[in-house]
């Protein structure tokens, strides 16, 4: 009995030392200490109980103090110590993210594109000589997984950390005056092109995946419309399609600017999400 | 068989269909239609990087060739046995560098790109210009290709070996 108590108290003491930096550790120590206090009264165990009471002095009363996890703001919601730590973490994260945010305003696209936002979806519109070009993309799930290798020994992880870049799939819709259908291009950024450094990437900056005609302005595409898949396409036809898009302002410069815009929008939405999450937890 | 065209830069707008048509014609003139070839358009930064890695020359250039067959005798076509061996290799075109040269000298951009590509294809086929003899041999080949190209298209293009030595 004595032996096990000694062990319990010494563990409690060890945990208390650590607890100066971590609140959750002092919680872990509580059950151990309680079981020591509940032991039958005996002269042989007094030194230990005293030492425990000494720990509960003015300077260090954490060990025997119960932390309450009851609602405190009257909102009816639960407010735990974990919530408090979460809010602190989020506040710090928001501060850090705002620090690295280049500008609160989104970057402008060159070429007279008008931007319209609807949550995480962005729509760029441009008119040229009776033709309307609309490019839409959604920043959700637009950050490819980090394929970088682990940093080498001696190399700081932070230095090696690649920038977060949003490379969303995007849809180009071309409408001609008087035409029943729009010509729709489903485009994407091939993964090996997304610069993780000085890799010898050899894909185009963006590629066309599919081309089809769709009724103008329809939200849902008709599955019955013939869809040209570029995987098995004549290369000359593919090049003409790319030149056709370039003539309408969708070229490599546009694609690079779209990445910048999407990255800034994704970051803005991420910060907004963190703030909403912070407010939700705090019941604000 | 296929010309695999890649445009990795945004400094110079590239008409892909035009470039492909010109490269296909060069391949036909050389009788290498059944071989695959990669054409990669890059900017100064990228070609300088590649030039530094593979040739220890830390400067941008107009063309860099990476032959699939490294020890070809000039003028001899590779003996390919399998489908994936019908490959001549890749040509990196420094399109930003070429554009700058064209602006300086008032040359036609696509014409110059054809000249530069013809030079690159000659390297893929084993031609070199390190010695005077090699230079002469390569010049003759380029001259033949471009005079055929000129005859078919009405252009007036001249070999790159006439303009420069020891590079590419």
């Amino acid at each position: 009995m004595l032996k096990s108590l000694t062990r319990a108290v010494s563990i409690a003491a060890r945990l208390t030392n650590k607890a100066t930096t971590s609140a959750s550790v002092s919680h872990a120590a509580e059950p151990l200490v309680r079981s020591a206090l509940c032991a039958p009264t005996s002269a042989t165990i007094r030194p230990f109980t005293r030492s425990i009471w000494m720990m509960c002095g003015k300077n260090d009363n954490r060990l025997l103090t119960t932390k309450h996890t009851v609602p405190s703001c009257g909102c009816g919601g639960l407010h735990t110590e974990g919530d408090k730590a979460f809010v602190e973490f989020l506040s710090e994260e928001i501060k850090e993210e705002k620090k690295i945010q280049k500008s609160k305003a989104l970057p402008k696209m060159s070429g007279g594109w008008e931007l319209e936002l609807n949550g995480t979806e962005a729509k760029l519109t441009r008119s040229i000589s009776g033709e309307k070009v609309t490019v839409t993309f959604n920043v959700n799930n637009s950050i490819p997984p980090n394929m970088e290798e682990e940093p080498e020994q001696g190399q700081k992880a932070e230095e090696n950390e690649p920038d977060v870049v949003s490379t969303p799939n995007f849809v180009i819709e071309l409408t001609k005056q008087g035409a029943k259908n729009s010509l729709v291009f489903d485009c994407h950024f091939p993964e090996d092109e997304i610069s993780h450094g000085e890799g010898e990437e050899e894909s185009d900056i963006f590629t066309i995946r599919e081309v089809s005609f769709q009724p103008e302005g329809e939200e849902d595409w008709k599955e019955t419309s013939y869809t040209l898949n570029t995987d098995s396409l004549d290369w000359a036809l593919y090049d003409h399609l790319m030149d056709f898009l370039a003539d309408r302002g969708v070229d490599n410069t546009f694609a690079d600017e779209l990445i910048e815009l999407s990255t800034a929008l994704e970051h803005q939405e991420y910060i907004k999400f963190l703030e909403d999450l912070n407010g939700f937890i705090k019941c604000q | 068989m296929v010309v695999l065209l890649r445009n990795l830069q945004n400094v110079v707008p590239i008409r892909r269909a035009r470039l492909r048509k010109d490269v296909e014609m060069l391949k036909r003139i050389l009788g290498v239609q059944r071989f695959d070839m990669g054409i990669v358009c890059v900017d100064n930064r990228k070609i300088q990087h590649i030039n530094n890695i593979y040739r220890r020359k830390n400067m941008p250039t107009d063309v860099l060739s990476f032959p699939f067959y490294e020890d070809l005798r000039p003028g001899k076509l590779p003996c390919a046995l399998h489908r994936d061996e019908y490959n001549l290799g890749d040509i990196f075109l420094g399109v930003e560098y070429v554009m700058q040269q064209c602006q300086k000298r008032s040359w036609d951009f696509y014409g110059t790109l054809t000249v530069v590509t013809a030079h690159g294809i000659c390297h893929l086929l084993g031609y070199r210009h390190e010695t005077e003899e090699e230079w002469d041999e390569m010049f003759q080949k380029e001259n033949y290709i471009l005079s055929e190209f000129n005859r078919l298209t009405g252009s007036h293009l001249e070999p790159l070996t006439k303009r420069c030595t020891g590079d590419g």
Side-chain angles (χ1 to χ4, degrees):
Chain A
M1 182 66 193
L2 181 62
K3 214 171 180 181
S4 63
L5 269 176
T6 314
R7 246 183 35 218
V9 175
S10 65
I11 288 168
R14 212 166 52 228
L15 288 172
T16 313
N17 290 339
K18 280 188 182 174
T20 51
T21 53
S22 167
S24 59
V25 174
S26 71
H27 279 263
E30 281 174 36
L32 287 170
V33 176
R34 275 195 215 106
S35 65
L37 287 172
C38 292
T41 313
S42 153
T44 51
I45 58 165
R46 192 166 282 171
F48 299 107
T49 51
R50 197 170 60 200
S51 66
I52 288 166
W53 284 115
M54 279 167 70
M55 281 186 234
C56 300
K58 278 180 189 168
N59 295 334
D60 195 352
N61 61 0
R62 275 168 299 178
L63 198 58
L64 299 176
T65 311
T66 310
K67 300 282 184 194
H68 295 285
T69 55
V70 292
S72 58
C73 74
C75 69
L78 192 66
H79 293 287
T80 67
E81 281 298 313
D83 292 356
K84 197 180 154 197
F86 196 3
V87 165
E88 277 169 20
F89 171 83
L90 285 171
S91 304
E92 197 55 39
E93 183 75 2
I94 291 164
K95 210 167 79 188
E96 287 301 313
E97 289 299 328
K98 281 188 172 172
K99 216 187 285 175
I100 58 168
Q101 194 176 26
K102 282 171 193 160
S103 162
K104 280 198 173 173
L106 294 170
K108 286 256 183 297
M109 298 285 291
S110 59
W113 293 91
E114 276 179 35
L115 175 66
E116 196 184 310
L117 295 173
N118 177 19
T120 55
E121 192 182 81
K123 186 188 271 189
L124 292 159
T125 318
R126 180 188 191 211
S127 294
I128 332 162
S129 314
E131 279 187 21
K132 193 174 142 195
V133 190
T134 310
V135 179
T136 43
F137 62 91
N138 195 319
V139 297
N140 278 338
N141 303 311
S142 64
I143 296 170
N146 180 13
M147 305 299 279
E148 284 289 291
E149 287 171 13
E150 290 292 310
E152 283 174 28
Q153 272 193 335
Q155 197 177 8
K156 278 185 189 170
E158 281 169 21
E159 284 172 11
N160 205 42
E161 206 172 307
D163 288 339
V164 172
V165 176
S166 162
T167 51
N169 297 339
F170 58 100
V171 173
I172 306 159
E173 198 176 336
L174 282 156
T175 314
K176 290 203 182 206
Q177 274 177 352
K180 264 197 303 187
N181 293 319
S182 301
L183 184 59
V184 177
F185 296 77
D186 186 5
C187 302
H188 79 130
F189 293 97
E191 278 200 12
D192 62 325
E193 174 53 27
I194 300 149
S195 58
H196 290 299
E198 287 297 322
E200 296 301 317
E201 67 277 347
E202 279 180 27
S203 293
D204 280 321
I205 294 177
F206 77 97
T207 60
I208 305 167
R209 211 150 38 180
E210 284 180 357
V211 188
S212 65
F213 281 105
Q214 298 294 339
E216 196 196 328
E218 292 279 326
E219 284 287 316
D220 297 318
W221 291 358
K222 272 167 68 180
E223 291 291 324
T224 50
S225 296
Y226 180 79
T227 303
L228 185 75
N229 193 305
T230 55
D231 282 346
S232 50
L233 195 62
D234 176 342
W235 288 105
L237 174 54
Y238 183 82
D239 288 338
H240 278 292
L241 289 169
M242 288 294 273
D243 287 347
F244 178 83
L245 288 181
D247 287 340
R248 281 143 186 89
V250 181
D251 53 10
N252 282 355
T253 302
F254 172 87
D256 281 340
E257 289 181 3
L258 190 144
I259 291 177
E260 269 181 55
L261 172 64
S262 184
T263 303
L265 179 60
E266 201 280 337
H267 196 209
Q268 202 176 68
E269 288 295 313
Y270 174 60
I271 292 171
K272 195 167 164 286
F273 174 80
L274 293 180
E275 286 172 337
D276 288 348
L277 186 60
N278 200 15
F280 187 85
I281 293 161
K282 286 198 286 192
C283 293
Q284 280 177 347
Chain B
M1 204 114 102
V2 172
V3 173
L4 209 65
L5 188 57
R6 294 283 180 260
N7 180 14
L8 308 187
Q9 54 81 46
N10 65 13
V11 183
V12 182
I14 297 290
R15 304 302 296 182
R16 298 171 66 113
R18 166 78 198 265
L19 178 58
R20 177 179 297 279
K21 201 173 125 197
D22 292 345
V23 176
E24 299 275 13
M25 189 173 286
L26 292 175
K27 277 180 75 185
R28 265 201 308 278
I29 292 168
L30 281 159
V32 292
Q33 301 99 303
R34 61 186 189 282
F35 288 89
D36 291 341
M37 187 195 294
I39 300 284
V40 188
C41 299
V42 290
D43 56 18
N44 278 351
R45 188 190 63 84
K46 179 85 177 174
I47 206 147
Q48 179 170 342
H49 177 67
I50 303 169
N51 205 13
N52 191 30
I53 287 179
Y54 294 98
R55 299 173 69 230
R56 297 266 164 247
K57 291 191 176 183
N58 194 13
M59 60 180 85
T61 185
D62 47 8
V63 60
L64 291 171
S65 297
F66 295 88
F68 185 78
Y69 296 93
E70 288 187 344
D71 48 4
L72 275 185
R73 272 183 54 206
K76 292 274 176 198
L77 287 186
C79 293
L81 296 172
H82 303 288
R83 174 67 198 89
D84 56 0
E85 290 174 359
Y86 280 92
N87 186 353
L88 291 182
D90 298 325
I91 297 171
F92 280 72
L93 295 175
V95 290
E96 185 181 1
Y97 183 89
V98 171
M99 179 56 99
Q100 286 165 348
Q101 298 296 311
C102 288
Q103 282 167 346
K104 264 188 223 164
R105 298 174 166 87
S106 303
W107 290 340
D108 170 64
F109 176 66
Y110 285 96
T112 309
L113 223 46
T114 303
V115 171
V116 166
T117 309
H119 185 85
I121 298 176
C122 283
H123 278 312
L124 296 187
L125 293 172
Y127 289 91
R128 299 279 178 275
H129 45 73
E130 276 149 32
T131 65
E132 201 171 324
E133 199 181 324
E134 284 175 347
W135 185 92
D136 194 49
E137 196 176 19
M138 186 154 174
F139 175 75
Q140 295 300 329
K141 192 67 181 178
E142 279 186 67
N143 204 25
Y144 162 74
I145 302 165
L146 293 176
S147 50
E148 275 301 290
F149 189 92
N150 290 341
R151 188 179 64 79
L152 293 165
T153 62
S155 314
H156 304 281
L157 306 178
E158 291 183 331
L160 191 67
T161 38
K162 200 175 175 185
R163 295 175 187 163
C164 65
T165 52
D167 209 15

